[in-house]
Amino acid sequence: MDRRKVIKGMAAGITGLPFIQAKANRPTIADYSGFFQSDQTTDEKFWKKFRKDFYDVPKDFINLENGYFGVQPLPVQKAYLKNIKQVNVNSSRYLRTNYGADYQSIVSSLSNFAGIDPEEALITRNATEALNIVIQGLDWKTGDEVILSGQDYFSMIETFEMLEKQKGIVIKRINLPLLPKSDQEILDRYTAAVTPKTRGILCTHIIHLTGQIMPIKKISDQFKPQGIEVIVDAAHSFAQVEYKLKDLGADFVGVNLHKWFGNPLGAGLLYVNKDRIKDLKPLYGDSGSEEDDIMKLGHFGTLSVPTILTIPEAQSFNETITIQTKEKRLRYLQNYWTTKAREIPNVMVTTPSESARSCAIASFKVEGKETKKVIDQLYEKTKVFTVIRYLPDREVVRVTPNLYNLTEELDVLIEGITKIATS
């Protein structure tokens, strides 16, 4: 397949503001509200039109690195630019008068989307900040043991390493199976590391390195009754797969809104079970809130107000598509290329194939090839953009399509992998 024809045929030129393409008479997401009642998962004609209507994509490369942050749909971009202008025009008068009520309304609506109570929700700048509030807010004692894996997110690992130096906690590291045969195999790894001194477990809902979906509810159900804090990094799972935060069974969950939810950069969400708010000490100084008020954890100073005000538009986009439709399409795209990649000599796909164990994200390794060179060659020869990720025992190429990607682009990826692996 000629990747130049694919890129040229599917991407339009960019005009006007940088990275914003102006098109007249573009449909609104509301115009699509009835389309997602039937299964559109494999209808490439439908998704090609959807892409044209709601996304501006680059014409000089194929972006298969959507795991860093999600490309904002055009209605979200439009709302964001409008909010920037309105906040600047109305300046401090708005922030000192109407913003408080607007913020509470956004929190209430977002909480409903996430399946939690508004009193349990705090908008943060990202999942890393949300999880730092929890990790540094719990009352760890010298000798308390915390279990984590080499596949958890490095920023959270580093936070615990900091506490290891500051407070004398003990980190116990486990190795998770890349391709588990069952949930029990994963649970057994944690069980083997638990001792009477175990106080906490950090676990990632969808592992950012490989896309493996972890059995968080089973982990919570097994270890919470033992008095072990289960802290969940749900940065990638929120709005990628269908669930509510309470379904995870954990008391503490951190979420990103700039990844699969599709909001502008600079917004995350912290969920704390309302019975556990009192157990967290504020990371940022606050002496004016009640002990059981989650706002005691949110004394951030001035935030990016336009970013927060855009959350309703991103939420509306997700609600119209439905997360069920989104999950099916993303999993289909991942399976489309990984099924073919598994048949290529010298290629190992490091993501589980079962539908319950993965969705959009997947990764692979070409045996005998330096992973950095694989990424470079993919881009140089096919203009497919991917990223290297570091597992505890190997380097892999992470491939992450989003809703605007088409199977034509994944064919270009497979052609590139095949040439590299068999050369």
Side-chain angles (χ1 to χ4, degrees):
M1 176 167 293
D2 190 330
R3 62 94 188 160
R4 289 172 296 183
K5 290 182 179 179
V6 171
I7 296 174
K8 184 177 180 181
M10 294 190 298
I14 298 174
T15 60
L17 291 172
F19 308 111
I20 304 295
Q21 179 181 353
K23 289 186 178 180
N25 302 317
R26 190 187 291 273
T28 67
I29 188 61
D31 295 328
Y32 272 72
S33 60
F35 284 82
F36 298 104
Q37 296 174 1
S38 58
D39 192 350
Q40 308 285 350
T41 303
T42 63
D43 187 347
E44 291 303 301
K45 183 178 180 181
F46 172 85
W47 290 106
K48 193 168 187 177
K49 184 178 186 307
F50 184 83
R51 165 189 173 125
K52 179 180 179 182
D53 289 341
F54 295 111
Y55 291 93
D56 279 334
V57 295
K59 61 180 179 180
D60 58 339
F61 73 97
I62 295 172
N63 185 23
L64 292 178
E65 205 319 69
N66 292 285
Y68 195 168
F69 63 94
V71 175
Q72 297 163 43
L74 288 173
V76 178
Q77 287 186 18
K78 182 179 179 181
Y80 183 44
L81 294 174
K82 177 183 177 182
N83 290 330
I84 291 173
K85 181 176 181 179
Q86 291 299 317
V87 168
N88 279 276
V89 167
N90 292 285
S91 63
S92 58
R93 185 186 68 170
Y94 168 67
L95 266 65
R96 293 188 183 279
T97 56
N98 297 330
Y99 174 62
D102 290 345
Y103 176 86
Q104 291 301 326
S105 176
I106 290 168
V107 170
S108 179
S109 180
L110 180 62
S111 298
N112 183 64
F113 179 87
I116 58 178
D117 294 333
E119 296 81 7
E120 301 174 313
L122 179 68
I123 294 175
T124 63
R125 285 171 284 199
N126 48 60
T128 296
E129 181 173 64
L131 290 166
N132 263 273
I133 289 170
V134 173
I135 295 169
Q136 298 193 57
L138 287 166
D139 187 22
W140 306 103
K141 304 295 185 184
T142 300
D144 284 344
E145 294 179 353
V146 176
I147 301 170
L148 50 80
S149 87
Q151 294 186 44
D152 289 315
Y153 191 56
F154 73 93
S155 293
M156 289 20 280
I157 294 174
E158 289 179 355
T159 303
F160 277 111
E161 289 174 340
M162 180 181 72
L163 294 179
E164 188 176 36
K165 294 177 181 178
Q166 291 179 346
K167 296 193 172 186
I169 68 169
V170 177
I171 296 175
K172 301 193 71 175
R173 302 171 192 267
I174 64 173
N175 293 318
L176 293 174
L178 278 179
L179 306 173
K181 296 183 176 67
S182 66
D183 289 344
Q184 191 60 48
E185 183 180 356
I186 296 171
L187 290 168
D188 288 345
R189 301 290 177 97
Y190 287 101
T191 300
V194 169
T195 75
K197 295 182 179 180
T198 303
R199 176 79 190 285
I201 291 175
L202 170 69
C203 45
T204 305
H205 192 192
I206 294 185
I207 294 174
H208 68 290
L209 304 169
T210 65
Q212 180 180 169
I213 299 176
M214 294 282 285
I216 300 298
K217 182 64 164 61
K218 291 183 179 180
I219 293 171
S220 298
D221 287 350
Q222 178 165 331
F223 297 109
K224 274 183 58 181
Q226 300 177 39
I228 298 172
E229 307 287 10
V230 177
I231 303 167
V232 179
D233 180 347
H236 274 283
S237 63
F238 190 74
Q240 181 185 158
V241 294
E242 188 176 23
Y243 74 102
K244 301 298 183 183
L245 293 184
K246 284 186 181 291
D247 295 341
L248 302 178
D251 291 333
F252 311 106
V253 184
V255 162
N256 268 323
L257 300 180
H258 65 248
K259 290 187 184 292
W260 302 97
F261 188 73
N263 201 64
L265 288 164
L269 176 67
L270 170 63
Y271 158 68
V272 180
N273 183 304
K274 56 188 172 185
D275 294 330
R276 300 301 312 281
I277 295 171
K278 65 182 184 300
D279 299 326
L280 294 178
K281 295 179 295 184
L283 178 62
Y284 305 95
D286 185 278
S287 59
S289 302
E290 297 295 330
E291 281 297 300
D292 60 352
D293 182 358
I294 198 167
M295 291 308 297
K296 76 176 187 180
L297 305 174
H299 201 145
F300 304 124
T302 306
L303 295 172
S304 176
V305 174
T307 301
I308 294 172
L309 293 176
T310 307
I311 290 173
E313 190 67 41
Q315 180 177 327
S316 175
F317 193 84
N318 281 281
E319 288 174 335
T320 302
I321 297 171
T322 74
I323 303 303
Q324 181 183 47
T325 296
K326 193 174 182 181
E327 178 180 352
K328 286 181 179 180
R329 175 62 180 177
L330 293 172
R331 182 174 288 113
Y332 170 74
L333 291 174
Q334 183 258 110
N335 287 335
Y336 182 90
W337 78 265
T338 54
T339 299
K340 296 181 179 183
R342 287 186 174 92
E343 300 300 320
I344 303 172
N346 305 318
V347 172
M348 177 186 181
V349 175
T350 50
T351 300
S353 59
E354 301 94 325
S355 62
R357 297 196 188 281
S358 62
C359 189
I361 304 170
S363 57
F364 71 94
K365 169 75 175 176
V366 179
E367 300 299 335
K369 301 285 185 179
E370 185 181 337
T371 302
K372 178 64 167 60
K373 290 183 178 179
V374 173
I375 288 173
D376 290 344
Q377 289 176 14
L378 274 175
Y379 187 74
E380 290 166 4
K381 296 180 179 181
T382 68
K383 291 301 178 184
V384 171
F385 182 69
T386 56
V387 67
I388 189 171
R389 298 288 83 180
Y390 301 93
L391 292 170
D393 61 346
R394 73 194 76 193
E395 298 173 352
V396 296
V397 181
R398 186 179 74 181
V399 177
T400 315
N402 207 328
L403 287 180
Y404 64 83
N405 290 116
L406 303 171
T407 56
E408 297 173 44
E409 296 173 306
L410 299 176
D411 288 335
V412 175
L413 168 72
I414 289 298
E415 181 181 347
I417 296 173
T418 301
K419 288 180 179 179
I420 293 169
T422 57
S423 62

